[in-house]
Amino acid sequence: MADQPKTFLTQAEFARRRGVSKKTVTVWKGNGLLVFGDDGLVDVDATEWNLDQRPAKYRGGVAHRPVRSAPELQPGSAAAKQKPGQAPRSEPVSADEIRTDEGPYDPDDPNLDLPAAVRRKENFLGLQRKQAVEKEAGRLVERAAAEALFFDTARDLRDAWLSWPARIAIVMADELRVDPRALTTVLTAHVQQHLAELGEPECQL
């Protein structure tokens, strides 16, 4: 029995064949589900096989798909060069370009399909564990506690400077042989002017 000739279509023709929009086919391309021949046309059999291997979505039921056998690949074609178990890709897709069948990947979407939902769960668990490790290692602290410590320290330093002239003026006046009250007044004025020039401390985290 002679082999059936392979079918190749443009992306627009393939969209009409599947009964979907051109945007959906573009999403499939971004996810590496489309298989292309050497002439840049969509290999229908190989592509439909890839689409049928996707996990069934749960939208109030299970999507039933026809059982397909793996398509035979022509030697030297782009799909034939893929490693076993590796989904064919037309071009590399970065982590920021992860897409679902409905459009761009949104981690805040409450209706993600199963693979995207699992990926979001694993990402969030990884971030949670990373925060716990950094906190135990002392590399991560709570912002509110850090801000409170910063402002308390700055206030203690300001109070120490304000009380300094009265404590040191008598000692300095005795060494300089001047009136302690006059020296206290002069020192207090200069310290207050210096603190005013410094202004309020800003905590930048």
Side-chain angles (χ1 to χ4, degrees), residues 14-141:
F14 186 71
R16 289 193 294 270
R17 175 189 175 95
R18 295 283 298 194
V20 297
S21 65
K22 294 181 181 179
K23 179 181 177 181
T24 298
V25 174
T26 302
V27 171
W28 290 344
K29 178 181 178 181
N31 286 333
L33 295 172
L34 298 188
V35 179
F36 294 91
D38 296 335
D39 53 2
L41 297 177
V42 177
D43 185 328
V44 174
D45 292 335
T47 298
E48 289 190 342
W49 184 84
N50 282 343
L51 294 174
D52 289 342
Q53 306 315 304
R54 296 173 298 169
K57 296 180 183 178
Y58 188 79
R59 291 282 192 265
V62 178
H64 297 283
R65 302 186 303 272
V67 178
R68 294 176 181 269
S69 59
E72 296 183 2
L73 304 177
Q74 296 295 333
S77 65
K81 297 177 182 178
Q82 298 290 336
K83 297 180 180 179
Q86 179 182 7
R89 301 176 64 89
S90 59
E91 56 186 17
V93 180
S94 66
D96 296 333
E97 297 173 334
I98 301 172
R99 304 172 70 90
T100 65
D101 287 346
E102 287 74 26
Y105 170 72
D106 180 6
D108 296 325
D109 185 357
N111 298 314
L112 289 176
D113 56 25
L114 181 59
V118 171
R119 185 184 188 93
R120 175 175 62 183
K121 175 185 176 182
E122 293 301 322
N123 287 342
F124 285 177
L125 286 175
L127 290 174
Q128 190 176 33
R129 293 181 184 129
K130 179 182 178 183
Q131 286 185 341
V133 170
E134 291 184 343
K135 189 173 182 179
E136 291 177 359
R139 296 194 298 267
L140 188 66
V141 298

